[in-house]
Short mmCIF file of all heavy atoms in Angstrom, two decimals:
data_model
loop_
_atom_site.label_atom_id
_atom_site.label_comp_id
_atom_site.label_asym_id
_atom_site.label_seq_id
_atom_site.Cartn_x
_atom_site.Cartn_y
_atom_site.Cartn_z
N MET A 83 -52.94 28.58 -58.57
CA MET A 83 -51.69 28.59 -57.84
C MET A 83 -51.23 30.03 -57.71
O MET A 83 -51.35 30.82 -58.63
CB MET A 83 -50.64 27.75 -58.58
CG MET A 83 -49.32 27.75 -57.87
SD MET A 83 -48.01 26.84 -58.69
CE MET A 83 -48.67 25.21 -58.73
N HIS A 84 -50.69 30.35 -56.54
CA HIS A 84 -50.18 31.69 -56.28
C HIS A 84 -48.67 31.62 -56.08
O HIS A 84 -48.17 30.74 -55.41
CB HIS A 84 -50.81 32.27 -55.01
CG HIS A 84 -52.28 32.48 -55.11
ND1 HIS A 84 -52.82 33.61 -55.66
CD2 HIS A 84 -53.31 31.70 -54.74
CE1 HIS A 84 -54.13 33.51 -55.62
NE2 HIS A 84 -54.45 32.37 -55.07
N LYS A 85 -47.97 32.57 -56.66
CA LYS A 85 -46.53 32.68 -56.45
C LYS A 85 -46.32 33.70 -55.34
O LYS A 85 -46.77 34.84 -55.43
CB LYS A 85 -45.83 33.13 -57.73
CG LYS A 85 -44.33 33.22 -57.59
CD LYS A 85 -43.70 33.62 -58.91
CE LYS A 85 -42.19 33.70 -58.79
NZ LYS A 85 -41.58 34.06 -60.07
N LEU A 86 -45.66 33.27 -54.26
CA LEU A 86 -45.40 34.15 -53.13
C LEU A 86 -43.91 34.43 -53.05
O LEU A 86 -43.09 33.64 -53.50
CB LEU A 86 -45.88 33.48 -51.84
CG LEU A 86 -47.35 33.07 -51.82
CD1 LEU A 86 -47.68 32.32 -50.54
CD2 LEU A 86 -48.25 34.27 -51.98
N HIS A 87 -43.56 35.55 -52.44
CA HIS A 87 -42.16 35.94 -52.33
C HIS A 87 -41.75 36.03 -50.87
O HIS A 87 -42.53 36.45 -50.02
CB HIS A 87 -41.93 37.29 -53.02
CG HIS A 87 -42.20 37.24 -54.48
ND1 HIS A 87 -41.28 36.79 -55.38
CD2 HIS A 87 -43.30 37.58 -55.19
CE1 HIS A 87 -41.80 36.85 -56.59
NE2 HIS A 87 -43.03 37.33 -56.50
N LEU A 88 -40.52 35.64 -50.60
CA LEU A 88 -39.93 35.77 -49.27
C LEU A 88 -39.20 37.10 -49.21
O LEU A 88 -38.61 37.53 -50.19
CB LEU A 88 -38.95 34.63 -49.01
CG LEU A 88 -39.54 33.22 -49.07
CD1 LEU A 88 -38.44 32.18 -48.91
CD2 LEU A 88 -40.60 33.03 -48.01
N THR A 89 -39.23 37.73 -48.04
CA THR A 89 -38.58 39.02 -47.87
C THR A 89 -38.01 39.13 -46.46
O THR A 89 -38.45 38.42 -45.56
CB THR A 89 -39.57 40.18 -48.14
OG1 THR A 89 -38.86 41.40 -48.11
CG2 THR A 89 -40.69 40.21 -47.13
N HIS A 90 -37.02 39.98 -46.31
CA HIS A 90 -36.46 40.23 -44.98
C HIS A 90 -37.43 41.09 -44.18
O HIS A 90 -37.92 42.10 -44.68
CB HIS A 90 -35.11 40.96 -45.08
CG HIS A 90 -33.98 40.04 -45.33
ND1 HIS A 90 -33.55 39.73 -46.60
CD2 HIS A 90 -33.19 39.34 -44.47
CE1 HIS A 90 -32.54 38.89 -46.50
NE2 HIS A 90 -32.30 38.63 -45.23
N ILE A 91 -37.68 40.67 -42.96
CA ILE A 91 -38.49 41.45 -42.02
C ILE A 91 -37.71 41.47 -40.72
O ILE A 91 -37.68 40.47 -39.99
CB ILE A 91 -39.89 40.82 -41.82
CG1 ILE A 91 -40.65 40.75 -43.14
CG2 ILE A 91 -40.67 41.62 -40.79
CD1 ILE A 91 -41.99 40.05 -43.06
N GLY A 92 -37.02 42.56 -40.47
CA GLY A 92 -36.14 42.62 -39.31
C GLY A 92 -35.02 41.63 -39.48
O GLY A 92 -34.35 41.58 -40.51
N GLY A 93 -34.82 40.78 -38.48
CA GLY A 93 -33.78 39.75 -38.56
C GLY A 93 -34.31 38.42 -39.04
O GLY A 93 -33.64 37.40 -38.94
N SER A 94 -35.53 38.40 -39.56
CA SER A 94 -36.16 37.16 -40.01
C SER A 94 -36.50 37.24 -41.49
O SER A 94 -36.29 38.25 -42.14
CB SER A 94 -37.46 36.92 -39.22
OG SER A 94 -37.20 36.81 -37.85
N ILE A 95 -37.05 36.16 -41.98
CA ILE A 95 -37.55 36.14 -43.35
C ILE A 95 -39.05 35.89 -43.27
O ILE A 95 -39.51 35.01 -42.54
CB ILE A 95 -36.86 35.06 -44.19
CG1 ILE A 95 -35.39 35.43 -44.35
CG2 ILE A 95 -37.55 34.88 -45.53
CD1 ILE A 95 -34.60 34.53 -45.25
N GLY A 96 -39.81 36.68 -43.99
CA GLY A 96 -41.26 36.57 -43.96
C GLY A 96 -41.83 36.24 -45.32
O GLY A 96 -41.18 36.44 -46.35
N LEU A 97 -43.03 35.75 -45.31
CA LEU A 97 -43.76 35.40 -46.52
C LEU A 97 -44.86 36.43 -46.70
O LEU A 97 -45.66 36.66 -45.78
CB LEU A 97 -44.35 34.00 -46.38
CG LEU A 97 -45.09 33.41 -47.54
CD1 LEU A 97 -44.13 33.21 -48.71
CD2 LEU A 97 -45.70 32.09 -47.15
N ILE A 98 -44.91 37.08 -47.83
CA ILE A 98 -45.91 38.11 -48.10
C ILE A 98 -47.12 37.46 -48.76
O ILE A 98 -47.01 36.83 -49.81
CB ILE A 98 -45.33 39.21 -49.02
CG1 ILE A 98 -44.06 39.81 -48.43
CG2 ILE A 98 -46.39 40.28 -49.29
CD1 ILE A 98 -44.23 40.47 -47.09
N LEU A 99 -48.29 37.62 -48.11
CA LEU A 99 -49.54 37.09 -48.67
C LEU A 99 -50.33 38.24 -49.27
O LEU A 99 -50.55 39.26 -48.61
CB LEU A 99 -50.37 36.40 -47.59
CG LEU A 99 -49.73 35.23 -46.87
CD1 LEU A 99 -50.64 34.73 -45.76
CD2 LEU A 99 -49.41 34.11 -47.83
N PRO A 100 -50.79 38.09 -50.51
CA PRO A 100 -51.60 39.15 -51.13
C PRO A 100 -52.92 39.36 -50.38
O PRO A 100 -53.43 38.45 -49.73
CB PRO A 100 -51.86 38.61 -52.54
CG PRO A 100 -50.94 37.48 -52.74
CD PRO A 100 -50.57 36.96 -51.40
N GLU A 101 -53.46 40.57 -50.48
CA GLU A 101 -54.71 40.92 -49.82
C GLU A 101 -55.83 39.93 -50.15
O GLU A 101 -56.60 39.55 -49.28
CB GLU A 101 -55.14 42.34 -50.19
CG GLU A 101 -54.27 43.43 -49.60
CD GLU A 101 -54.42 43.55 -48.10
OE1 GLU A 101 -55.53 43.31 -47.57
OE2 GLU A 101 -53.42 43.89 -47.45
N GLU A 102 -55.93 39.53 -51.42
CA GLU A 102 -57.01 38.62 -51.82
C GLU A 102 -56.89 37.27 -51.10
O GLU A 102 -57.89 36.66 -50.72
CB GLU A 102 -57.00 38.40 -53.34
CG GLU A 102 -55.74 37.71 -53.83
CD GLU A 102 -55.53 37.82 -55.32
OE1 GLU A 102 -55.83 38.88 -55.89
OE2 GLU A 102 -55.06 36.84 -55.91
N MET A 103 -55.67 36.81 -50.88
CA MET A 103 -55.45 35.55 -50.18
C MET A 103 -55.80 35.71 -48.70
O MET A 103 -56.42 34.82 -48.11
CB MET A 103 -54.00 35.09 -50.34
CG MET A 103 -53.76 33.67 -49.90
SD MET A 103 -52.05 33.16 -50.17
CE MET A 103 -51.96 33.15 -51.95
N LEU A 104 -55.40 36.83 -48.10
CA LEU A 104 -55.75 37.09 -46.71
C LEU A 104 -57.26 37.14 -46.52
O LEU A 104 -57.79 36.58 -45.55
CB LEU A 104 -55.13 38.41 -46.24
CG LEU A 104 -53.61 38.44 -46.13
CD1 LEU A 104 -53.12 39.86 -45.88
CD2 LEU A 104 -53.14 37.50 -45.04
N ALA A 105 -57.95 37.77 -47.44
CA ALA A 105 -59.41 37.86 -47.36
C ALA A 105 -60.04 36.47 -47.50
O ALA A 105 -60.96 36.12 -46.74
CB ALA A 105 -59.94 38.79 -48.45
N HIS A 106 -59.53 35.68 -48.43
CA HIS A 106 -60.07 34.34 -48.64
C HIS A 106 -59.87 33.46 -47.40
O HIS A 106 -60.76 32.69 -47.02
CB HIS A 106 -59.42 33.69 -49.86
CG HIS A 106 -59.92 32.31 -50.14
ND1 HIS A 106 -61.15 32.06 -50.70
CD2 HIS A 106 -59.36 31.10 -49.90
CE1 HIS A 106 -61.32 30.77 -50.81
NE2 HIS A 106 -60.25 30.15 -50.33
N LEU A 107 -58.72 33.59 -46.75
CA LEU A 107 -58.42 32.80 -45.55
C LEU A 107 -58.99 33.43 -44.28
O LEU A 107 -58.89 32.87 -43.21
CB LEU A 107 -56.90 32.64 -45.40
CG LEU A 107 -56.21 31.78 -46.44
CD1 LEU A 107 -54.70 31.92 -46.34
CD2 LEU A 107 -56.63 30.32 -46.29
N LYS A 108 -59.60 34.63 -44.43
CA LYS A 108 -60.14 35.39 -43.30
C LYS A 108 -59.05 35.64 -42.26
O LYS A 108 -59.24 35.40 -41.07
CB LYS A 108 -61.34 34.68 -42.70
CG LYS A 108 -62.50 34.54 -43.67
CD LYS A 108 -63.68 33.85 -43.02
CE LYS A 108 -64.85 33.80 -43.96
NZ LYS A 108 -64.95 32.61 -44.75
N LEU A 109 -57.91 36.12 -42.73
CA LEU A 109 -56.76 36.40 -41.87
C LEU A 109 -56.50 37.89 -41.79
O LEU A 109 -56.82 38.63 -42.72
CB LEU A 109 -55.51 35.71 -42.42
CG LEU A 109 -55.49 34.19 -42.37
CD1 LEU A 109 -54.28 33.66 -43.12
CD2 LEU A 109 -55.48 33.70 -40.94
N ASP A 110 -55.90 38.29 -40.68
CA ASP A 110 -55.50 39.68 -40.49
C ASP A 110 -54.15 39.68 -39.80
O ASP A 110 -53.69 38.64 -39.31
CB ASP A 110 -56.54 40.41 -39.65
CG ASP A 110 -56.50 41.92 -39.85
OD1 ASP A 110 -55.63 42.41 -40.59
OD2 ASP A 110 -57.35 42.60 -39.25
N LYS A 111 -53.52 40.83 -39.75
CA LYS A 111 -52.22 40.97 -39.12
C LYS A 111 -52.25 40.38 -37.70
O LYS A 111 -53.16 40.66 -36.93
CB LYS A 111 -51.84 42.45 -39.06
CG LYS A 111 -50.49 42.71 -38.46
CD LYS A 111 -50.19 44.19 -38.44
CE LYS A 111 -48.86 44.44 -37.76
NZ LYS A 111 -48.54 45.86 -37.72
N GLY A 112 -51.27 39.55 -37.38
CA GLY A 112 -51.17 38.95 -36.06
C GLY A 112 -51.82 37.59 -35.93
O GLY A 112 -51.61 36.90 -34.95
N ASP A 113 -52.65 37.19 -36.91
CA ASP A 113 -53.27 35.87 -36.87
C ASP A 113 -52.22 34.79 -37.11
O ASP A 113 -51.18 35.03 -37.72
CB ASP A 113 -54.36 35.74 -37.94
CG ASP A 113 -55.59 36.58 -37.63
OD1 ASP A 113 -55.74 37.02 -36.48
OD2 ASP A 113 -56.39 36.80 -38.56
N ALA A 114 -52.52 33.59 -36.64
CA ALA A 114 -51.63 32.44 -36.85
C ALA A 114 -52.11 31.62 -38.03
O ALA A 114 -53.31 31.53 -38.29
CB ALA A 114 -51.61 31.57 -35.60
N VAL A 115 -51.18 31.06 -38.76
CA VAL A 115 -51.48 30.10 -39.81
C VAL A 115 -50.68 28.83 -39.53
O VAL A 115 -49.71 28.85 -38.79
CB VAL A 115 -51.15 30.64 -41.23
CG1 VAL A 115 -52.06 31.78 -41.59
CG2 VAL A 115 -49.71 31.03 -41.35
N PHE A 116 -51.11 27.75 -40.11
CA PHE A 116 -50.49 26.45 -39.86
C PHE A 116 -50.07 25.84 -41.18
O PHE A 116 -50.84 25.81 -42.14
CB PHE A 116 -51.47 25.54 -39.12
CG PHE A 116 -51.89 26.12 -37.80
CD1 PHE A 116 -52.97 26.97 -37.71
CD2 PHE A 116 -51.16 25.86 -36.66
CE1 PHE A 116 -53.34 27.54 -36.51
CE2 PHE A 116 -51.52 26.42 -35.44
CZ PHE A 116 -52.61 27.26 -35.37
N LEU A 117 -48.84 25.37 -41.23
CA LEU A 117 -48.29 24.69 -42.39
C LEU A 117 -48.37 23.20 -42.13
O LEU A 117 -47.89 22.72 -41.10
CB LEU A 117 -46.83 25.09 -42.57
CG LEU A 117 -46.37 25.63 -43.91
CD1 LEU A 117 -47.26 26.72 -44.40
CD2 LEU A 117 -44.94 26.04 -43.86
N THR A 118 -48.99 22.47 -43.04
CA THR A 118 -49.12 21.03 -42.90
C THR A 118 -48.44 20.37 -44.08
O THR A 118 -48.69 20.74 -45.23
CB THR A 118 -50.60 20.62 -42.87
OG1 THR A 118 -51.27 21.35 -41.85
CG2 THR A 118 -50.76 19.14 -42.62
N GLU A 119 -47.58 19.40 -43.80
CA GLU A 119 -46.90 18.69 -44.87
C GLU A 119 -47.87 17.70 -45.50
O GLU A 119 -48.56 16.95 -44.82
CB GLU A 119 -45.68 17.96 -44.33
CG GLU A 119 -44.79 17.42 -45.43
CD GLU A 119 -43.45 16.92 -44.92
OE1 GLU A 119 -43.22 16.95 -43.69
OE2 GLU A 119 -42.66 16.50 -45.76
N ILE A 120 -47.93 17.73 -46.82
CA ILE A 120 -48.75 16.79 -47.59
C ILE A 120 -47.83 16.10 -48.59
O ILE A 120 -46.68 16.52 -48.75
CB ILE A 120 -49.93 17.52 -48.29
CG1 ILE A 120 -49.43 18.63 -49.21
CG2 ILE A 120 -50.91 18.06 -47.28
CD1 ILE A 120 -50.53 19.28 -50.04
N PRO A 121 -48.28 15.02 -49.23
CA PRO A 121 -47.38 14.26 -50.10
C PRO A 121 -46.63 15.08 -51.14
O PRO A 121 -45.46 14.84 -51.39
CB PRO A 121 -48.31 13.24 -50.77
CG PRO A 121 -49.40 13.04 -49.77
CD PRO A 121 -49.59 14.38 -49.11
N ASP A 122 -47.28 16.09 -51.76
CA ASP A 122 -46.57 16.85 -52.79
C ASP A 122 -46.10 18.22 -52.34
O ASP A 122 -45.81 19.06 -53.17
CB ASP A 122 -47.38 16.99 -54.08
CG ASP A 122 -48.85 16.78 -53.96
OD1 ASP A 122 -49.28 16.15 -53.01
OD2 ASP A 122 -49.57 17.24 -54.84
N GLY A 123 -46.01 18.47 -51.05
CA GLY A 123 -45.52 19.76 -50.60
C GLY A 123 -46.10 20.14 -49.25
O GLY A 123 -46.07 19.37 -48.31
N TYR A 124 -46.66 21.35 -49.18
CA TYR A 124 -47.23 21.87 -47.94
C TYR A 124 -48.55 22.56 -48.24
O TYR A 124 -48.78 23.03 -49.35
CB TYR A 124 -46.29 22.89 -47.28
CG TYR A 124 -45.06 22.26 -46.68
CD1 TYR A 124 -43.92 22.06 -47.44
CD2 TYR A 124 -45.06 21.85 -45.36
CE1 TYR A 124 -42.79 21.48 -46.89
CE2 TYR A 124 -43.94 21.26 -44.80
CZ TYR A 124 -42.81 21.08 -45.56
OH TYR A 124 -41.71 20.48 -45.02
N THR A 125 -49.39 22.64 -47.24
CA THR A 125 -50.61 23.42 -47.34
C THR A 125 -50.61 24.42 -46.19
O THR A 125 -50.12 24.12 -45.10
CB THR A 125 -51.86 22.52 -47.32
OG1 THR A 125 -53.02 23.32 -47.50
CG2 THR A 125 -51.99 21.75 -46.03
N ILE A 126 -51.12 25.61 -46.44
CA ILE A 126 -51.19 26.65 -45.41
C ILE A 126 -52.66 26.92 -45.12
O ILE A 126 -53.48 27.02 -46.03
CB ILE A 126 -50.46 27.94 -45.87
CG1 ILE A 126 -50.41 28.95 -44.75
CG2 ILE A 126 -51.06 28.52 -47.12
CD1 ILE A 126 -49.53 30.14 -45.02
N THR A 127 -52.99 26.99 -43.84
CA THR A 127 -54.38 27.15 -43.45
C THR A 127 -54.47 27.84 -42.08
O THR A 127 -53.55 27.72 -41.28
CB THR A 127 -55.10 25.78 -43.40
OG1 THR A 127 -56.44 25.96 -42.99
CG2 THR A 127 -54.42 24.84 -42.43
N PRO A 128 -55.58 28.53 -41.81
CA PRO A 128 -55.77 29.08 -40.46
C PRO A 128 -56.29 28.01 -39.50
O PRO A 128 -56.43 28.24 -38.32
CB PRO A 128 -56.80 30.19 -40.68
CG PRO A 128 -57.55 29.77 -41.89
CD PRO A 128 -56.56 29.02 -42.75
N TYR A 129 -56.57 26.81 -40.01
CA TYR A 129 -57.15 25.71 -39.25
C TYR A 129 -56.09 24.98 -38.44
O TYR A 129 -55.07 24.56 -38.97
CB TYR A 129 -57.81 24.75 -40.25
CG TYR A 129 -58.22 23.41 -39.69
CD1 TYR A 129 -59.36 23.30 -38.92
CD2 TYR A 129 -57.47 22.28 -39.97
CE1 TYR A 129 -59.74 22.08 -38.44
CE2 TYR A 129 -57.86 21.05 -39.48
CZ TYR A 129 -58.99 20.95 -38.71
OH TYR A 129 -59.37 19.73 -38.23
N ASP A 130 -56.30 24.85 -37.15
CA ASP A 130 -55.38 24.18 -36.25
C ASP A 130 -55.90 22.77 -35.96
O ASP A 130 -56.83 22.59 -35.17
CB ASP A 130 -55.24 24.98 -34.95
CG ASP A 130 -54.27 24.37 -33.96
OD1 ASP A 130 -53.74 23.27 -34.21
OD2 ASP A 130 -54.05 25.00 -32.91
N ALA A 131 -55.34 21.76 -36.60
CA ALA A 131 -55.80 20.38 -36.45
C ALA A 131 -55.67 19.89 -35.01
O ALA A 131 -56.53 19.16 -34.52
CB ALA A 131 -55.03 19.46 -37.39
N GLU A 132 -54.62 20.31 -34.31
CA GLU A 132 -54.42 19.88 -32.93
C GLU A 132 -55.53 20.44 -32.03
O GLU A 132 -56.08 19.72 -31.19
CB GLU A 132 -53.06 20.34 -32.41
CG GLU A 132 -52.74 19.82 -31.03
CD GLU A 132 -51.33 20.20 -30.60
OE1 GLU A 132 -50.39 20.08 -31.41
OE2 GLU A 132 -51.20 20.62 -29.43
N LEU A 133 -55.88 21.70 -32.23
CA LEU A 133 -56.96 22.29 -31.45
C LEU A 133 -58.28 21.59 -31.76
O LEU A 133 -59.08 21.33 -30.87
CB LEU A 133 -57.08 23.80 -31.73
CG LEU A 133 -58.23 24.52 -31.03
CD1 LEU A 133 -58.10 24.41 -29.51
CD2 LEU A 133 -58.29 25.97 -31.47
N ASP A 134 -58.51 21.26 -33.02
CA ASP A 134 -59.72 20.57 -33.41
C ASP A 134 -59.82 19.22 -32.70
O ASP A 134 -60.88 18.83 -32.22
CB ASP A 134 -59.78 20.38 -34.93
CG ASP A 134 -61.11 19.82 -35.37
OD1 ASP A 134 -62.15 20.45 -35.07
OD2 ASP A 134 -61.12 18.75 -36.00
N ASP A 135 -58.71 18.49 -32.61
CA ASP A 135 -58.69 17.21 -31.90
C ASP A 135 -59.04 17.40 -30.43
O ASP A 135 -59.80 16.62 -29.84
CB ASP A 135 -57.32 16.54 -32.02
CG ASP A 135 -57.01 16.06 -33.42
OD1 ASP A 135 -57.95 15.93 -34.24
OD2 ASP A 135 -55.82 15.81 -33.70
N GLN A 136 -58.51 18.46 -29.81
CA GLN A 136 -58.79 18.73 -28.40
C GLN A 136 -60.26 19.09 -28.20
O GLN A 136 -60.90 18.63 -27.24
CB GLN A 136 -57.90 19.86 -27.89
CG GLN A 136 -56.44 19.49 -27.83
CD GLN A 136 -55.54 20.69 -27.55
OE1 GLN A 136 -56.01 21.82 -27.41
NE2 GLN A 136 -54.24 20.45 -27.48
N LEU A 137 -60.82 19.89 -29.10
CA LEU A 137 -62.22 20.26 -29.00
C LEU A 137 -63.13 19.05 -29.18
O LEU A 137 -64.14 18.90 -28.48
CB LEU A 137 -62.57 21.34 -30.02
CG LEU A 137 -61.97 22.72 -29.76
CD1 LEU A 137 -62.22 23.64 -30.96
CD2 LEU A 137 -62.55 23.32 -28.50
N ARG A 138 -62.77 18.18 -30.12
CA ARG A 138 -63.55 16.97 -30.35
C ARG A 138 -63.52 16.07 -29.11
O ARG A 138 -64.55 15.52 -28.70
CB ARG A 138 -63.01 16.22 -31.57
CG ARG A 138 -63.88 15.03 -31.95
CD ARG A 138 -63.51 14.47 -33.31
NE ARG A 138 -63.92 15.45 -34.31
CZ ARG A 138 -63.13 15.89 -35.29
NH1 ARG A 138 -61.92 15.44 -35.42
NH2 ARG A 138 -63.56 16.78 -36.15
N ALA A 139 -62.35 15.93 -28.47
CA ALA A 139 -62.24 15.13 -27.26
C ALA A 139 -63.09 15.73 -26.14
O ALA A 139 -63.79 15.00 -25.41
CB ALA A 139 -60.78 15.01 -26.82
N GLY A 140 -63.06 17.05 -26.00
CA GLY A 140 -63.89 17.71 -25.00
C GLY A 140 -65.37 17.50 -25.25
O GLY A 140 -66.15 17.28 -24.31
N HIS A 141 -65.77 17.55 -26.49
CA HIS A 141 -67.17 17.32 -26.85
C HIS A 141 -67.59 15.90 -26.49
O HIS A 141 -68.68 15.68 -25.95
CB HIS A 141 -67.36 17.60 -28.33
CG HIS A 141 -68.77 17.48 -28.81
ND1 HIS A 141 -69.85 17.39 -28.00
CD2 HIS A 141 -69.30 17.45 -30.05
CE1 HIS A 141 -70.96 17.29 -28.70
NE2 HIS A 141 -70.64 17.32 -29.95
N GLU A 142 -66.74 14.93 -26.77
CA GLU A 142 -67.04 13.54 -26.43
C GLU A 142 -67.20 13.37 -24.92
O GLU A 142 -68.09 12.65 -24.46
CB GLU A 142 -65.96 12.61 -26.98
CG GLU A 142 -66.00 12.49 -28.49
CD GLU A 142 -64.82 11.70 -29.06
OE1 GLU A 142 -64.10 11.05 -28.28
OE2 GLU A 142 -64.65 11.75 -30.28
N ILE A 143 -66.34 14.03 -24.14
CA ILE A 143 -66.45 13.96 -22.67
C ILE A 143 -67.76 14.58 -22.22
O ILE A 143 -68.45 14.04 -21.35
CB ILE A 143 -65.24 14.65 -22.00
CG1 ILE A 143 -63.98 13.81 -22.23
CG2 ILE A 143 -65.49 14.89 -20.53
CD1 ILE A 143 -62.69 14.50 -21.84
N MET A 144 -68.11 15.72 -22.82
CA MET A 144 -69.36 16.37 -22.45
C MET A 144 -70.56 15.49 -22.77
O MET A 144 -71.53 15.44 -22.00
CB MET A 144 -69.49 17.73 -23.14
CG MET A 144 -68.51 18.75 -22.59
SD MET A 144 -68.52 20.31 -23.50
CE MET A 144 -70.14 20.92 -23.07
N LEU A 145 -70.52 14.77 -23.88
CA LEU A 145 -71.61 13.85 -24.22
C LEU A 145 -71.65 12.68 -23.25
O LEU A 145 -72.72 12.26 -22.81
CB LEU A 145 -71.46 13.35 -25.65
CG LEU A 145 -71.76 14.35 -26.76
CD1 LEU A 145 -71.47 13.74 -28.12
CD2 LEU A 145 -73.19 14.83 -26.69
N GLN A 146 -70.49 12.15 -22.91
CA GLN A 146 -70.39 11.00 -22.03
C GLN A 146 -70.93 11.34 -20.63
O GLN A 146 -71.58 10.52 -19.99
CB GLN A 146 -68.94 10.53 -21.93
CG GLN A 146 -68.75 9.30 -21.08
CD GLN A 146 -67.30 8.86 -21.07
OE1 GLN A 146 -66.45 9.44 -21.74
NE2 GLN A 146 -67.01 7.83 -20.30
N TYR A 147 -70.66 12.53 -20.14
CA TYR A 147 -71.07 12.96 -18.81
C TYR A 147 -72.15 14.03 -18.87
O TYR A 147 -72.21 14.92 -18.03
CB TYR A 147 -69.85 13.46 -18.02
CG TYR A 147 -68.82 12.37 -17.81
CD1 TYR A 147 -67.67 12.33 -18.58
CD2 TYR A 147 -69.01 11.38 -16.85
CE1 TYR A 147 -66.73 11.33 -18.40
CE2 TYR A 147 -68.08 10.38 -16.66
CZ TYR A 147 -66.93 10.35 -17.44
OH TYR A 147 -66.02 9.37 -17.26
N ARG A 148 -73.02 13.93 -19.86
CA ARG A 148 -74.04 14.94 -20.11
C ARG A 148 -74.89 15.22 -18.87
O ARG A 148 -75.14 16.36 -18.52
CB ARG A 148 -74.92 14.48 -21.27
CG ARG A 148 -76.04 15.42 -21.58
CD ARG A 148 -76.93 14.86 -22.69
NE ARG A 148 -78.13 15.61 -22.80
CZ ARG A 148 -78.34 16.58 -23.67
NH1 ARG A 148 -77.39 16.87 -24.51
NH2 ARG A 148 -79.47 17.23 -23.70
N GLU A 149 -75.37 14.17 -18.21
CA GLU A 149 -76.25 14.34 -17.03
C GLU A 149 -75.54 15.12 -15.93
O GLU A 149 -76.13 15.99 -15.29
CB GLU A 149 -76.74 12.98 -16.52
CG GLU A 149 -77.57 12.21 -17.52
CD GLU A 149 -78.82 12.98 -17.95
OE1 GLU A 149 -79.46 13.62 -17.08
OE2 GLU A 149 -79.16 12.93 -19.15
N ILE A 150 -74.28 14.81 -15.70
CA ILE A 150 -73.52 15.51 -14.67
C ILE A 150 -73.36 16.98 -15.01
O ILE A 150 -73.56 17.86 -14.17
CB ILE A 150 -72.14 14.84 -14.47
CG1 ILE A 150 -72.31 13.44 -13.88
CG2 ILE A 150 -71.24 15.70 -13.58
CD1 ILE A 150 -71.07 12.60 -13.83
N PHE A 151 -73.04 17.28 -16.27
CA PHE A 151 -72.90 18.67 -16.69
C PHE A 151 -74.22 19.43 -16.60
O PHE A 151 -74.25 20.61 -16.24
CB PHE A 151 -72.31 18.77 -18.10
CG PHE A 151 -70.83 18.53 -18.16
CD1 PHE A 151 -70.32 17.38 -18.74
CD2 PHE A 151 -69.94 19.45 -17.64
CE1 PHE A 151 -68.96 17.16 -18.79
CE2 PHE A 151 -68.59 19.25 -17.67
CZ PHE A 151 -68.08 18.09 -18.25
N LEU A 152 -75.33 18.74 -16.90
CA LEU A 152 -76.64 19.40 -16.78
C LEU A 152 -76.93 19.74 -15.32
O LEU A 152 -77.46 20.81 -15.02
CB LEU A 152 -77.73 18.49 -17.35
CG LEU A 152 -77.77 18.39 -18.88
CD1 LEU A 152 -78.75 17.32 -19.31
CD2 LEU A 152 -78.13 19.74 -19.49
N GLU A 153 -76.59 18.83 -14.41
CA GLU A 153 -76.79 19.11 -12.98
C GLU A 153 -75.90 20.26 -12.52
O GLU A 153 -76.34 21.12 -11.74
CB GLU A 153 -76.52 17.87 -12.15
CG GLU A 153 -77.63 16.84 -12.23
CD GLU A 153 -77.40 15.67 -11.28
OE1 GLU A 153 -76.92 15.91 -10.16
OE2 GLU A 153 -77.70 14.55 -11.68
N LEU A 154 -74.66 20.28 -12.96
CA LEU A 154 -73.75 21.35 -12.58
C LEU A 154 -74.23 22.70 -13.10
O LEU A 154 -73.96 23.73 -12.49
CB LEU A 154 -72.36 21.06 -13.09
CG LEU A 154 -71.60 19.94 -12.38
CD1 LEU A 154 -70.30 19.62 -13.13
CD2 LEU A 154 -71.30 20.33 -10.95
N ALA A 155 -74.90 22.70 -14.22
CA ALA A 155 -75.35 23.95 -14.83
C ALA A 155 -76.51 24.59 -14.07
O ALA A 155 -76.78 25.77 -14.22
CB ALA A 155 -75.77 23.69 -16.28
N GLU A 156 -77.21 23.78 -13.25
CA GLU A 156 -78.36 24.33 -12.51
C GLU A 156 -77.95 25.18 -11.35
O GLU A 156 -77.00 25.21 -10.75
CB GLU A 156 -79.24 23.17 -12.02
CG GLU A 156 -79.94 22.49 -13.18
CD GLU A 156 -80.81 21.34 -12.70
OE1 GLU A 156 -80.94 21.11 -11.47
OE2 GLU A 156 -81.35 20.65 -13.56
#
């Protein structure tokens, strides 16, 4: 478990992540993170579940219409 601190950043409040945590999450300045509510609190991740759902739907469409996409690719 990591203890994080909130701090003022301009007119907002920010959460400071230690370098080791940024490296583990493969994050850099300007990257987005996602907070997901779980039964005992929240989890923070660089993983976007909504984007994953959209990509999965696109993949299913590509499989369903595979022959058409192959023809279009020629």
Side-chain angles (χ1 to χ4, degrees):
M83 179 182 298
H84 296 275
K85 182 178 181 179
L86 304 175
H87 297 278
L88 300 175
T89 186
H90 277 91
I91 300 175
S94 300
I95 294 185
L97 183 64
I98 304 299
L99 300 176
E101 290 291 327
E102 64 196 38
M103 192 178 293
L104 292 171
H106 180 75
L107 292 169
K108 298 181 176 93
L109 292 172
D110 202 356
K111 182 180 177 180
D113 290 344
V115 293
F116 300 88
L117 233 50
T118 306
E119 191 170 2
I120 58 174
D122 20 338
Y124 288 89
T125 183
I126 186 170
T127 179
Y129 168 77
D130 181 356
E132 186 176 315
L133 177 61
D134 187 57
D135 291 342
Q136 293 170 359
L137 290 172
R138 186 168 290 130
H141 183 12
E142 289 173 12
I143 289 170
M144 290 174 68
L145 288 176
Q146 182 178 358
Y147 297 102
R148 178 184 168 97
E149 298 301 320
I150 293 171
F151 283 110
L152 286 172
E153 285 186 38
L154 289 171
E156 290 180 5

